Structure formats: C-alpha cells, structure tokens
Amino acid sequence: MTPTATPKAKRITDIGPPNYEKFLPPVIKRNYGQWKFHETLAPGVLCHVSVTGEKLYTVRAASPRLLSVHSIRLFADLADKYCGGFLRFTSRNNVEFLLSEFANIEPLKQDLLKAGYPVGGTNNSISNIVHTQGWVHCHSSATDASGLVKSMMDALFPYFSEEKLPAKLRLAVACCLNMCGAVHCSDIAVLGVHRKPPKIRHDVLPKICEVPTLIASCPTGAIRPATVSGKPSVEVIEEQCMYCGNCYTVCPAMPLNDPENDGISIWVGGKVSNARTAPKFTKLAIPFLPNNPPRWPEVVEAVVNIVDKYASHAKKYERMGEWIERIGWPRFFEMTGIPFTRYHIDDFKNAGLTFARSTHIRF
Amino acid sequence: MANENGKRPTPLLDELEKGPWPSFVTEIRKTSDVSPMCDDLLGQLELSYEEKKGHWKHGGIVGVLGYGGGVIGRYSDVPEQFPNVAHFHTMRINQPSGWFYTSDALRTLCDIWERHGSGLTNMHGSTGDIVFLGTKTDELEPAFKELTEAGFDLGGSGSCLRTPSCCVGPARCEWACYDTMKLCNDLTQAYQDELHRPPFPYKYKIKCAGCPNDCVAAAARADLSVIGTWKDDIQQDDAAVSEYVANGLDIQKDVCERCPTHCMSWNGEKLTIENRECVRCMHCINVMPKALLPGKERGATLLIGAKAPIVNGALLSSVLVPFVPAEELQETIEELNKRIWEFWDENGKNRERVGELIQRVGMANFLDAIGLDPIPEMVTAPRDNPYIYFQEKQASEEESK
C-alpha cells in the first residue's frame, strides 16, 4: 500500500452491493414497474413498451463470461456511445445494452459484431451456456468448462443468432458433480465426471492435511482413519466414493484428477420454468464420453445430434423434456441412436420412482 | 521452449481462438499487458489441455480482515513452471441487483482489478457475484479497500448466506409480480453479517424471480426460492388477442391446447379463461405478451430446499407459502428465515443443506419447528404409504372425541 500523509481512514466493511437505482437508465427509472408488453424486433433485439408508450430497446450480445478488463471497457465505451452509458448482464452471462434510440440499434450491432461479440440468444434460441470454471480455475474439475462451451457454441452458433427452435433451449456445463453451474435442470447438461476414487499420497498426507477435517469432508462417509507405515493417514472405502472431490478440497494429498478415467456425461430434459409443465431434473442420456481437448469432437457431435433431433421433431413450444415425455424415452434413444445401458437405470435413493410401472409401451 | 516473443506456445488453446463464438482464450491473451499472471495462466491451461487434467489446488484460508468468506484460495500444483500463478485467488464481489451498471462503475471495477489482480473476471459467477479471477494474498486487503471506497463489497462463500440474486424484474419486465430488484437488495443489506461471517451448517441461497418463468433458476438453486405469482384473474385485452389471431397465431393449438389445466377456450371470436382453474404457468402470457398479463393482486410463492447433488442428491424447491402479498415479502421472509435458521442451527449436520435436513427430519416436523400449518398446496399428492408416526397428544385427542 502506498503511504499517505493523511490520517488513517476508517476501514469500510459490510456496506453490501451498491444500490441498483443509481445504475438504471432514465428511461427505466421513468417506467419502472410500468412496462406493458414487449416484442422481439430481431434475434437478440427486444423492445419493451411502457403504459406511457415510451420504448426501451435491448440489444443482447454473446459473452464468453470470462472477460478481460479490456473487453469490459469496450462494452463501457459502446454503452457511452449508444445508450448513455447504461448496460447490464443477464442471468446467463450475456451482455445487454439498454437503448432509448431505435436508430442506434443497427450501428451498435455492427460494432459488437466487429469486436467479436455477436448478437442473439433471445426467445426460441440457444442462449449463452451457463458454466463453471474448469481447468481455468478449479481444483476438482474433471474437464474444462470454457473450452467445452466454446466448442459447442461454435457448432451451435446458428441456433444462437436465429430463433428457429420449437422453444427455448438451455444448455449448461458443470465440470464435476458439485455442479457449481447447477446443470441439473437444463434442457441439455454437460457434466464432467471422475470415475476413480482419490489416490492417497500417504507420504505427504500427515504433513499437509488435518485428518479429522479430511474425514468430515466426505459427503458419504467413505474416508476412515488408518495407520499406514506407522504414520496417521486415511483409507477410502472405494465402493462408497462417488468421486466428488470434496476431500481434495481440504487435502491436496487426495488427488483424483485422472486423465485416463475422467470424462464427460450428457443429461437432457430438465427445465426450471413453470410454463406448461412443472420444473424437472435432467436425466442421463450418455454416461461417458472421452475428454478430448481442445475441441471435444465427441461431445460436440453428441450435443448437436440431440439438438438437431429435437429441433426437427418437437412441436412448437415444446421444451426438450416435454418433447421426450410425449414421445417416450425409448423413442428418444431410438431417434438419437444413443445406446441405453445399465448406467441409465437409477440405483440411488427412491430409484423405483423411475421404473416404468405401467404397460404403456409404444411398439 | 519459448516463442520468439518469450511466451510459451499454446497450440491447443490456439484452436479455441477460431470460430464465431467469443473466445475465452482471446480474453486471457489480450489481458497479458495487465499482468504476467495471464501468460502463466495460459501456460498452465495449455498443460491441462495436453495432459487432460487440472492443475489447481484449493486450501489455505485466505481472506480479508474480519470476513469469513468472499475470497477463494487457489494455488497452482506446478508453481515452479508457472510462478506467476502460484497464488491465484478469486474475489467474489456482490453484484448490484439485476446486474445493472453504468459504464463508469464498470471502469472503476476494471481499474481496481488492473491494479490488484490479473485483469480477468467472470461477469458473472454462477451464484451471481462479479468474480475477480486471480490475485495474490498480499493484494486482497488493498483491493478490498479500494472496492469498498468505490461502494462495492465482497459476496459470500463457505457456510454463509450466499450472495442473493434476482431477475431484471420491474426494471424491464411486464411480468414482474413484485419488486425483485428491491427485495434482493434489501435482503442483502439486512443480512450483511450472515453473508460475510459464515454462521450456518452449510450454504444458504436466496433467489428472487419475478414470475413463474423463473429466469434466475430459483426453483433449482435456491434454498429459499421467491417466485412471483398473482392471485386474481389474468388481465386480458380482447382486441390484442384478436390481433395475434389475425397475424396468424393458431390460438386453439398453440395456446388453449398447451394450457396444462385446459382452462381456456376459443370460440373463433373470443378467448375465455376459467381463472379459478388457472395454475399461473405463464404459457399463454408468454405466447401473447401484448394481450395477456398477470393479474393485479401480485406477490410471490415461497419455496424451500433446492440444491445441486452434493451431498445427498439434487432437490428442487417445494412450496412453503403459496402466496405472500408483494408488500409483505421482506418482512415475511425475514421472519421465516429467522425460524428456519434457528432450527437448522440446532438440528443440521455439518454440510447439510436445509432441503436435506427436511428430507431427514420430515417436512411435517420442519413445519412444526417453523410454526407453519400443513396445507395441501405443499404436496403433489398425500402420502401413499401407511407408515404414519402418530403423535401421542393427537392420538389421545382423537380417542377422547
């Protein structure tokens, strides 16, 4: 810290976030809570109309979520140039510019495109993929999240820049089953999986880890104290381990990253919206695909296949899960060509709830 | 093996700079002028891509004075190769409601992060925070000082109230059934202690969605999900309905037949809604935003217990209070949280989310503890097994009748 001549200022804490009101553009302040309806002017461009007749235009652009301060400053400059310096980010990490002037929409879109941040992601499209940190910043990731997202969105790009799907399609990536990305309710979820218990480094464990904390970290109680070569250490009851990596979080001597066995699983049919049907979990489509950076061709191909089948067969307004429920899971596996395996049948708590308990079978 | 510019080649990551979607690799590379951390981050990431394995370690409590969270300690497991990311901690900064900013506020954040960190961010992290990605322990306190002077504060991590988040709400959505932005902000301000000094058995999340479309995934991710809804009739503009039909909407097929309770009918001229049968799913309103709107008696449904799989499996939130009027939400939620946290504090195991506690002790016992009566809106169906644990008091009351 730089020394200063002034007396030491009181340390500021617990002030919470800045009040949102100072970040709202005047058009929003004037019409807060007074919006009457909205229209889509083009993919990625919305127009909200107030009861007073005043209009607010939103231009939504793609973002890699991982943003350089340089890019944020670029967004700030564009906001200054076209919309009085006001912008926001969405719950799916897109950036949105909030315009009062219709005439500014097209030049803003062009500037964004030139800078590499294309416009889209509204309504019946594939919006930005919600994802986790992966190899960029996480200790327990079984794969990289940003690279998977980039590879998939490059392949699915026409679905982002156009609204040509039966309904909205939400993708998410989580790089281990801790699921910081909460992928358990998305239309398609890509989930990194470990498949082997941690390898215990007994030589360093007593020196760098606290055994009681380590034992307490295991969600399934699979870690027990043990004496190894006369020194205090632990053992793992392997059949109880589901490879979550929580032990590695508290003890670096429990690494479970394993290039041979780590990989990707794919899940489908979840949703959080209450529209038409209740929110639902994603269900397993593909238990394992290899980790194949930098472009993960197997994963991209599998996801594109599922999206294409959905896009060409679902009825208007049907989300992925609603489509599959209508046609039945056997037909989903038949249409996508995905093999059904022993791993698809639940064997955790209340597994019986997913067994077919009727003779309603399509032949 | 360095390039002529002194940088390690990254042939695998270079592949990810091609294609139409904006590239995170490009983002990291162009921040190279801010901090040498960026080159080492790319170097270590290239190694991960070569070896198909991560190279980060967790561990070591790092943070700012007086706070128990908001900073995630991160260390490289190959620091000799990449000394600039030997320490690469994350700071979570509490976002303003609805993720609204002015260009000046963003520049201030960028300037602070350029002085004290890698210059890399996530806008935003999964829970909603601004994420400052990568700094050294020594920089945490100076960065924090500048952030608070600029009016920003850290978000939550660990067993605390995690940073609440909300949808855009009344700022830009005609479907907002309560002021999500204000509620999120006011709850965050009311719970500064719970947010910064982890007091719970595990994390607790609050998410405020303005309508049943749930754009912030409250039902999937929040221990307390606040989802806007309304009690009276859908507001209907018949002229606008006719306009949709005239413009080609197949109202019978795409609206009436998609209604989950079949409470709507179209006679070729007029749409009739049996509002008593409506479950407020939003489908018809989503299809015809110009013609239909949520009713005027607005508020929210409170749901409890959502979480991702760790520890005992994923849960969706379930109904706790079917309707709280918009103007009573803040007070009701604060009172409910007080009771929920007291019960959780006494009965929760370490790393047990509220949803899991309810699974373990039973919803009925949980309701007793927080003083709510059981009502049929809380279940999709009554129990189908006869293993009923009768309470002694009630059993004797039954006999005495």
Side-chain angles (χ1 to χ4, degrees), chain A residues 261-333:
Chain A
N261 287 289
D262 293 348
I264 314 284
S265 59
I266 294 182
W267 305 68
V268 296
K271 71 196 270 281
V272 288
S273 155
N274 284 274
R276 300 167 303 282
T277 52
K280 28 182 157 260
F281 286 131
T282 49
K283 280 95 182 167
L284 182 64
I286 303 177
F288 188 81
L289 288 169
N291 233 348
N292 203 354
R295 280 281 175 182
W296 286 270
E298 298 85 355
V299 175
V300 172
E301 190 191 347
V303 168
V304 168
N305 174 40
I306 294 168
V307 172
D308 285 346
K309 293 290 184 308
Y310 162 75
S312 51
H313 290 91
K315 292 184 179 171
K316 205 171 170 187
Y317 298 114
E318 247 173 6
R319 294 281 294 265
M320 177 76 72
E322 294 168 318
W323 168 59
I324 298 172
E325 274 172 17
R326 178 170 59 78
I327 64 169
W329 285 95
R331 195 142 294 160
F332 168 80
F333 284 101

Side-chain angles (χ1 to χ4, degrees), chain A residues 220-263:
Chain A
T220 62
I223 303 175
R224 289 195 295 222
T227 304
V228 180
S229 315
K231 285 183 186 156
S233 188
V234 297
E235 62 183 3
V236 174
I237 308 161
E238 300 210 339
E239 49 282 14
Q240 237 164 283
C241 175
M242 45 44 169
Y243 334 116
C244 69
N246 277 289
C247 55
Y248 182 58
T249 300
V250 301
C251 173
M254 303 283 285
L256 85 165
N257 294 335
D258 174 0
E260 296 288 304
N261 287 289
D262 293 348

Side-chain angles (χ1 to χ4, degrees), chain A residues 1 11-20 22-24 28 32-33 35-39 48 56 58 62-73 76-77 80 85-91 93 96 98 116-118 128 131 133 135-139 144 146-147 149-151 153-154 157 160 177-182 184-185 216-217 219 242 244 246 248-249 252 257 259 272-276 279-281 291 293-296 315-318 348-349, chain B residues 12 15-16 18-24 27-28 30-31 33-34 41 45 48-49 51-54 56-59 64-65 67 74 88 90 94-103 105-107 110-111 114 119-126 133 141-142 144 148-149 151-153 168 170-175 179 181-182 185 188-189 192 196-197 212-215 217 220-221 254 258 260 281 283 286-287 289-290 293 307-312 314-316 351:
Chain A
M1 268 190 284
R11 190 166 177 273
I12 306 167
T13 67
D14 298 273
I15 56 171
N19 192 295
Y20 56 93
K22 62 181 183 187
F23 299 144
L24 300 178
I28 286 186
Y32 195 88
W35 301 107
K36 190 160 180 270
F37 67 91
H38 72 276
E39 295 174 302
H48 284 79
L56 167 68
T58 300
S63 158
R65 187 179 83 130
L66 194 164
L67 286 173
S68 165
V69 289
H70 300 320
S71 306
I72 297 173
R73 288 186 183 120
D77 291 344
D80 282 347
F86 295 95
L87 69 166
R88 71 177 290 264
F89 293 83
T90 71
S91 55
N93 308 313
E96 285 185 342
L98 306 159
Y117 303 95
N128 207 343
H131 67 280
Q133 299 289 17
W135 291 333
V136 172
H137 208 243
C138 184
H139 62 289
D144 189 33
S146 307
V149 167
K150 165 76 177 145
S151 303
M153 284 312 286
D154 279 342
F157 188 71
F160 172 81
L177 58 168
N178 283 289
M179 285 193 197
C180 303
H184 55 296
C185 294
S217 76
M242 45 44 169
C244 69
N246 277 289
Y248 182 58
T249 300
N257 294 335
V272 288
S273 155
N274 284 274
R276 300 167 303 282
K280 28 182 157 260
F281 286 131
N291 233 348
R295 280 281 175 182
W296 286 270
K315 292 184 179 171
K316 205 171 170 187
Y317 298 114
E318 247 173 6
F348 195 54
K349 285 185 296 184
Chain B
L12 294 173
E15 287 300 312
L16 290 172
K18 301 167 186 167
W21 192 253
S23 165
F24 70 103
E27 294 291 327
I28 302 172
K30 73 180 176 192
T31 321
D33 60 337
V34 170
L41 176 64
L45 192 57
S48 285
Y49 271 60
E51 296 180 346
K52 305 183 186 184
K53 91 187 241 210
W56 296 108
K57 286 191 295 185
H58 195 78
V64 301
L65 195 67
Y67 281 19
R74 192 71 76 220
F88 198 64
T90 303
N94 200 144
Q95 81 287 2
S97 281
W99 301 287
F100 280 89
Y101 299 94
T102 54
S103 50
L106 285 180
R107 288 192 190 98
C110 290
D111 293 350
E114 188 161 319
L120 300 173
T121 74
N122 288 148
M123 300 298 277
H124 294 79
S126 292
L133 213 53
E141 199 61 44
F144 177 69
T148 51
E149 282 167 3
F152 285 88
D153 198 349
V168 71
R172 198 203 50 203
C173 186
E174 65 270 27
W175 300 330
D179 192 339
M181 304 269 290
K182 184 172 193 310
N185 183 74
T188 308
Q189 291 294 353
Q192 283 297 294
H196 295 307
R197 294 164 200 89
N213 283 325
D214 194 0
C215 290
R221 312 199 47 191
D254 290 336
R258 288 251 164 245
C281 86
H283 174 75
N286 290 342
V287 176
K290 256 182 166 170
L293 273 177
K307 58 181 287 295
I310 302 297
V311 176
N312 281 320
L315 294 169
L316 281 156
R351 294 169 66 87

Side-chain angles (χ1 to χ4, degrees), chain B residues 71 115 122 200 279 344 352 354 400:
Chain B
V71 181
R115 282 194 287 276
N122 288 148
F200 302 137
V279 289
W344 189 29
E352 187 176 50
V354 167
S400 67

